Amino acid sequence: LLLLWLHLRDLGFSLALRVAGLLVVGFTQGAVRWFEYQYWMTDPAALFLVMLAFFLLERGKWAGLLAASVLAAFVRETYVLVYPYVFLRELRTGRPLLAAAGRTLALAALPFAILVAIRRLVVPNQPDDFASGIVDSMTFRLNHLLDNQPYVVTVGAFGVLVPLLLLVPDRLPGLVRRHFDRALFVLSVYATLVISNNNERPLAYALPALVPAALWCARAFLEETRLPAVPFLATVVGLQVLFWIGQRWAEIGMSIYQPVNWTTVGAMAAFWLAAQLARTRRVS
């Protein structure tokens, strides 16, 4: 959360937007509550290191980024999603293809060697069948496609961040084009659901990219409608608190079996519709 706060400041967001963004993440179950409850897992440290990578990369601290990457190799494989993001960000900022690839390879070489060594030297005491894991995960998701899966991978994972991202839908394609590195990072996080038997916890890794995008959309909405920022952002935080209260968590399997909370869905939908009405009235 501290790194997120500093990163949002580096990206130029106002104090009100930064406070709102921090509170929204604080009331995101996959990023805080699950980590407090399952403190023994590797995810809390891994998400910290992913957020640290975004922070250091934005500041151009390559030595620190290499140190974080080496440390992350001992923590969790999910960190490897950072390397494609580094490569794409280098391309987005104007570095030639070969130079971007070379810098990314230099950053990833030692961490990847450590990952391979750990895989070779540490023998798991449980079956490690990657293909069976994919089959099990996708079979479950397909069987529940018309049940809870659309909810748990969108509003059920991120709450108010979802309608925030859709506040100015006509500008969203432009945001994706300008920040294709962050957009593809989010897609790569979602791709991990193919093997994961959880939802909220693995999807939390998308927050370093999703939160700035949501705040950009909120800022664009406020500039377009000229609504007062503080009441609007207070409503945003209030909706996230409502989402957080409605999430079930202290039950086995709730990260994947989370039922649809229709109160939350209705509140988020009403918020988005009201926002679109405000935009329409401003234009007219």
Side-chain angles (χ1 to χ4, degrees), residues 239-253:
L239 284 168
Q240 193 70 354
V241 172
L242 175 68
F243 157 72
W244 185 80
I245 291 172
Q247 290 293 89
R248 293 162 60 179
W249 64 284
E251 302 171 45
I252 295 176

Side-chain angles (χ1 to χ4, degrees), residues 36-69:
E36 291 175 340
Y37 177 61
Q38 296 177 320
Y39 56 86
W40 60 86
M41 300 188 72
T42 56
D43 292 282
L47 180 56
F48 163 73
L49 289 166
V50 170
M51 187 69 250
L52 180 61
F54 272 73
F55 171 74
L56 292 172
L57 188 58
E58 190 66 29
R59 293 194 172 189
K61 305 292 186 181
W62 286 92
L65 182 58
L66 176 59
S69 300

Side-chain angles (χ1 to χ4, degrees), residues 128-173:
D128 187 16
D129 190 339
F130 191 76
S132 295
I134 293 176
V135 171
D136 290 344
S137 176
M138 293 309 297
T139 299
F140 176 88
R141 295 184 188 283
L142 290 173
N143 288 340
H144 293 270
L145 189 60
L146 300 179
D147 181 10
N148 71 333
Q149 289 303 295
Y151 171 78
V152 295
V153 300
T154 55
V155 172
F158 298 115
V160 77
L161 287 175
V162 174
L164 280 181
L165 286 165
L166 300 174
L167 275 182
V168 283
D170 51 316
R171 299 191 188 186
L172 194 56

Side-chain angles (χ1 to χ4, degrees), residues 161-234:
L161 287 175
V162 174
L164 280 181
L165 286 165
L166 300 174
L167 275 182
V168 283
D170 51 316
R171 299 191 188 186
L172 194 56
L175 179 64
V176 171
R177 285 194 301 270
R178 288 194 301 276
H179 297 279
F180 60 87
D181 49 344
R182 290 176 178 258
L184 290 173
F185 176 80
V186 173
L187 287 178
S188 70
V189 171
Y190 267 92
T192 65
L193 295 183
V194 171
I195 187 64
S196 177
N197 60 357
N198 289 273
N199 288 305
E200 296 159 318
R201 183 163 48 83
L203 287 178
Y205 288 95
L207 288 170
L210 277 181
V211 176
L215 293 184
W216 184 91
C217 292
R219 183 171 63 190
F221 171 80
L222 289 170
E223 290 172 351
E224 182 179 303
T225 60
R226 297 183 182 179
L227 291 172
V230 172
F232 172 77
L233 294 174

